[in-house]
């Protein structure tokens, strides 16, 4: 990163070290601390010293993060240096407030033909972050002289972003409100970024998002435009034991997939998972699945990656967001070209053959780096084959890729290259993150187009 404060230059001039690792001044999952006094109080047990000076923090803003895939910059976190620079659109966005998602949240305001995305807020899971969200909203509406006319939020009623949207409508009955499906918003965010206003093949892979059928979605092949979508294919539904807890404990999804494939034979497997997780805990998960206790059904790419990482012994408990998929990608051997099989049953994609073949490879002492590569290659092959099938059925040739899974450099670079070689026109976001931080942009796009058509 580039130094953006004089103090950074002084550090490098005075300290004899090849590298300095910088992190933001906050407790994990909480917003950046604003004052010196608060920092001294909250962080006194975690650091060995404090250096302070007289530049006060007026607005909390995390560092931005980006990477290069296929010679294009892909933004992972849009914050310092980007915010609040507006994104020009081809729609009238005036007066639209989009409240965003629950995880890696940003909200978005519409002014004239502009989409103004807030800085990275974070995961709206605790009071401090939600307070930061509200603080940022009121700062933005004052800065941009904004009055909400339309509020748009996610379908999920329990998201704090949805709760905030409901509060705005409750305070002003003249505000109109619409709700948008999570993965539709993923696709329309990229469409708005590129000025696309027609039907596209939308491929949205991520962790979780409430679907229109009441189940958890996360691996969707859509025929979508700026107003509506048709779900063409999706991953087979698998129980997610413990609900959100499964996102923090990937071993739960591993048991769910193994039980789906092998039932009680899983106890006979020689896997690190079964040696590191207590048998009683595994039995409890199986009972939850059998009795359908707190086991929402999920068609999620993120949870599939979690399961494979745990089956291979790479990650059982996640200490940060998407840790298991990141570790699974990090160990893959890019020289491996093989892949596993999967089944297509009507509109559902089943990975039962994949899981069986992964287990067989592991039992045959195939290196986990090769197994990881073969699994990644399976996902790439699947996307290409589904895209070709959808083009044949619909005549659509424009493909939009969105969702946190496309932060995976190996998958995204290969998918983009191979789809282009198949003469598809491929779109990934240029100005916004492909993850849930971009959801608010997609919500804004849908609301603006619906208003244009007189639907709200």
């Amino acid at each position: 990163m580039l130094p953006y404060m004089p103090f950074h230059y002084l550090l490098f001039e005075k300290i004899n070290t090849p590298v300095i690792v910088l992190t933001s001044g906050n407790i994990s999952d909480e917003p950046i601390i604003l004052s010196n006094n608060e920092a001294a109080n909250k962080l006194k047990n975690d650091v060995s010293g404090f250096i302070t000076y007289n530049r006060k923090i007026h607005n909390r803003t995390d560092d931005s993060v980006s990477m290069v895939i296929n010679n294009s910059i892909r933004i992972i976190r849009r914050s310092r240096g980007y915010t609040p620079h507006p994104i020009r659109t081809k729609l009238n966005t005036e007066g639209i407030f989009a409240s965003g998602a629950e995880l890696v949240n940003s909200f978005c305001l519409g002014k004239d033909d502009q989409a103004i995305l807030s800085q990275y807020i974070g995961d709206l899971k605790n009071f401090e972050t939600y307070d930061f969200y509200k603080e940022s909203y009121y700062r933005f509406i004052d800065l941009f002289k904004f009055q909400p006319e339309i509020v748009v939020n996610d379908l999920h009623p329990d998201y704090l972003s949805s709760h905030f949207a409901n509060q705005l409508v409750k305070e002003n009955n003249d505000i109109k409100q619409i709700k948008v499906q999570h993965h539709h918003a993923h696709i329309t965010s990229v469409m708005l970024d590129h000025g696309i206003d027609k039907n596209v093949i939308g491929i949205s892979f991520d962790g979780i998002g409430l679907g229109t059928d009441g189940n958890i979605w996360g691996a969707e092949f859509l025929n979508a435009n700026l107003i509506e979508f048709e779900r063409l294919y999706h991953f087979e539904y698998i129980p997610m034991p413990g609900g959100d807890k499964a996102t923090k404990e990937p071993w739960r999804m591993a048991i769910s997939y193994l039980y789906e494939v092998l039932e009680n034979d899983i106890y006979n497997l020689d896997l690190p998972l079964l040696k590191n997780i207590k048998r009683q805990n595994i039995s409890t998960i199986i009972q939850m699945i059998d009795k359908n206790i707190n086991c929402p059904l999920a068609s999620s790419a993120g949870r599939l990656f979690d399961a494979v990482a745990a089956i291979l012994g790479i990650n059982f408990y996640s200490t940060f967001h998407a840790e298991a998929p990141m570790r699974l990608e990090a160990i893959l051997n890019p020289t491996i070209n093989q892949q596993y099989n999967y089944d297509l049953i009507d509109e559902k994609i089943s990975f039962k053959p994949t899981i069986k073949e992964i287990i067989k490879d592991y039992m045959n002492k195939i290196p986990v780096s090769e197994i990881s590569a073969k699994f990644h290659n399976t996902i790439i092959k699947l996307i290409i084959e589904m895209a070709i099938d959808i083009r044949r059925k619909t005549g659509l040739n424009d493909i939009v890729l969105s969702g946190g899974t496309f932060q995976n450099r190996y998958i995204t670079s290969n998918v983009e290259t191979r789809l282009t070689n198949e003469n598809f026109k491929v779109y990934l976001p240029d100005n916004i993150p492909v993850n849930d931080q971009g959801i608010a942009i997609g919500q804004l796009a849908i609301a603006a187009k619906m208003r244009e058509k007189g639907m709200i």
Side-chain angles (χ1 to χ4, degrees):
M1 57 181 281
L2 297 175
Y4 53 85
M5 292 190 293
F7 181 65
H8 292 154
Y9 288 93
L10 293 174
L11 277 175
F12 278 109
E13 286 178 1
K14 302 298 182 183
I15 297 177
N16 184 24
T17 180
V19 63
I20 298 175
V21 179
L22 299 177
T23 184
S24 52
N26 63 289
I27 303 297
S28 180
D29 293 330
E30 294 185 12
I32 292 172
I33 293 169
L34 284 176
S35 72
N36 293 335
N37 289 338
E38 185 184 2
N41 183 49
K42 274 196 169 185
L43 303 178
K44 60 185 177 183
N45 296 323
D46 299 300
V47 301
S48 57
F50 291 91
I51 299 174
T52 64
Y53 64 158
N54 60 359
R55 295 183 68 179
K56 294 183 179 180
I57 299 173
H58 177 67
N59 185 39
R60 312 173 207 250
T61 310
D62 280 272
D63 292 311
S64 296
V65 181
S66 62
M67 65 179 173
V68 175
I69 301 178
N70 290 346
N71 297 318
S72 295
I73 295 176
R74 302 298 177 198
I75 300 172
I76 303 300
R77 182 196 292 161
R78 191 180 194 270
S79 207
R80 185 194 305 276
Y82 289 100
T83 302
H85 186 74
I87 298 168
R88 292 282 179 180
T89 80
K90 295 182 179 180
L91 297 168
N92 174 20
T93 65
E94 182 66 43
I96 301 174
F97 168 69
S99 64
E102 178 83 343
L103 302 179
V104 292
N105 173 277
S106 281
F107 60 79
C108 189
L109 309 181
K111 289 288 290 184
D112 298 323
D113 63 347
Q114 300 174 353
I116 304 171
L117 193 67
S118 77
Q119 73 270 46
Y120 171 82
I121 302 293
D123 296 351
L124 302 183
K125 290 290 189 181
N126 55 50
F127 172 79
E128 290 84 2
T129 308
Y130 185 49
D131 201 41
F132 172 36
Y133 177 93
K134 293 185 287 185
E135 166 195 306
S136 300
Y137 169 78
Y138 289 112
R139 176 171 287 121
F140 266 62
I141 65 170
D142 180 62
L143 179 64
F144 294 102
K145 310 303 178 191
F146 177 85
Q147 288 292 329
E149 301 169 9
I150 299 172
V151 167
V152 51
N153 57 275
D154 193 272
L155 276 182
H156 203 302
D158 295 333
Y159 283 179
L160 286 175
S161 54
S162 298
H163 175 75
F164 184 75
N166 294 338
Q167 285 296 114
L168 292 180
V169 175
K170 189 176 180 180
E171 293 167 4
N172 185 348
N173 291 329
D174 293 331
I175 296 177
K176 298 174 182 177
Q177 184 178 22
I178 63 170
K179 299 176 182 180
V180 168
Q181 201 281 320
H182 184 94
H183 300 93
H184 187 205
H186 262 309
I187 300 305
T188 55
S189 69
V190 184
M191 294 174 69
L192 188 77
D193 195 19
H194 287 278
I196 302 170
D197 189 0
K198 58 181 177 179
N199 280 64
V200 300
I201 300 171
I203 302 177
S204 182
F205 282 15
D206 65 357
I208 55 174
L210 182 63
T212 54
D213 60 358
N215 293 322
I216 303 299
W217 293 6
E220 316 305 319
F221 294 84
L222 310 176
N223 176 353
N225 57 41
L226 289 177
I227 292 178
E228 57 190 358
F229 69 91
E230 178 186 5
R231 193 186 193 202
L232 302 175
Y233 296 104
H234 61 86
F235 286 9
E236 183 179 39
Y237 285 124
I238 297 292
M240 198 166 83
D244 284 347
K245 196 165 186 179
T247 65
K248 296 289 184 70
E249 299 181 5
W251 70 268
R252 291 171 176 257
M253 285 309 301
I255 297 301
S256 187
Y257 269 96
L258 290 172
Y259 188 60
E260 183 79 17
V261 172
L262 300 171
E263 297 184 340
N264 287 320
D265 286 344
I266 68 172
Y267 291 113
N268 300 321
L269 296 174
D270 184 21
L271 293 173
L273 170 68
L274 302 174
K275 298 173 184 177
N276 285 271
I277 304 299
K278 293 179 181 178
R279 186 182 178 112
Q280 179 58 47
N281 292 345
I282 294 172
S283 297
T284 299
I285 294 300
I286 290 175
Q287 289 177 32
M288 290 171 63
I289 294 170
D290 284 340
K291 296 178 181 179
N292 192 25
I293 300 172
N294 194 18
C295 285
L297 295 176
S299 64
S300 168
R303 300 295 77 78
L304 173 62
F305 278 75
D306 283 351
V308 173
I311 289 170
L312 297 179
I314 295 167
N315 184 255
F316 302 129
Y317 297 91
S318 292
T319 58
F320 55 85
H321 184 66
E323 179 178 356
M326 291 171 68
R327 291 190 182 280
L328 189 63
E329 179 192 5
I331 67 160
L332 72 83
N333 181 346
T335 66
I336 302 299
N337 297 318
Q338 298 102 320
Q339 63 273 321
Y340 296 114
N341 292 303
Y342 62 88
D343 285 336
L344 180 61
I345 306 168
D346 297 324
E347 78 283 2
K348 300 181 182 68
I349 300 154
S350 171
F351 289 94
K352 290 177 184 176
T354 311
I355 299 298
K356 288 179 181 178
E357 292 171 16
I358 286 173
I359 294 169
K360 182 179 178 181
D361 271 358
Y362 189 87
M363 297 299 189
N364 289 332
K365 310 298 182 183
I366 301 298
V368 291
S369 61
E370 293 188 22
I371 298 174
S372 176
K374 290 171 71 174
F375 169 69
H376 280 78
N377 292 340
T378 305
I379 301 300
I380 294 164
K381 176 189 175 186
L382 164 71
I383 291 173
I384 305 305
E385 291 183 346
M386 291 296 97
I388 292 172
D389 178 75
I390 293 170
R391 178 169 62 183
R392 178 178 58 82
K393 292 178 178 178
T394 65
L396 297 173
N397 198 62
D398 295 279
I399 290 190
V400 167
L401 306 176
S402 190
T405 300
F406 291 105
Q407 292 178 153
N408 184 306
R409 192 192 307 267
Y410 183 81
I411 287 178
T412 302
S413 61
N414 279 282
V415 166
E416 184 179 29
T417 299
R418 295 185 191 184
L419 286 174
T420 302
N421 290 341
E422 293 288 343
N423 297 316
F424 285 97
K425 182 65 175 175
V426 185
Y427 295 94
L428 284 150
D430 288 336
N431 299 298
I432 59 172
V434 76
N435 58 43
D436 278 9
Q437 195 187 355
I439 286 289
I441 290 282
Q443 294 172 342
L444 183 92
I446 293 168
K449 190 63 180 180
M450 289 180 69
R451 179 173 62 184
E452 180 185 294
K453 292 293 184 180
M455 298 173 68
I456 52 174

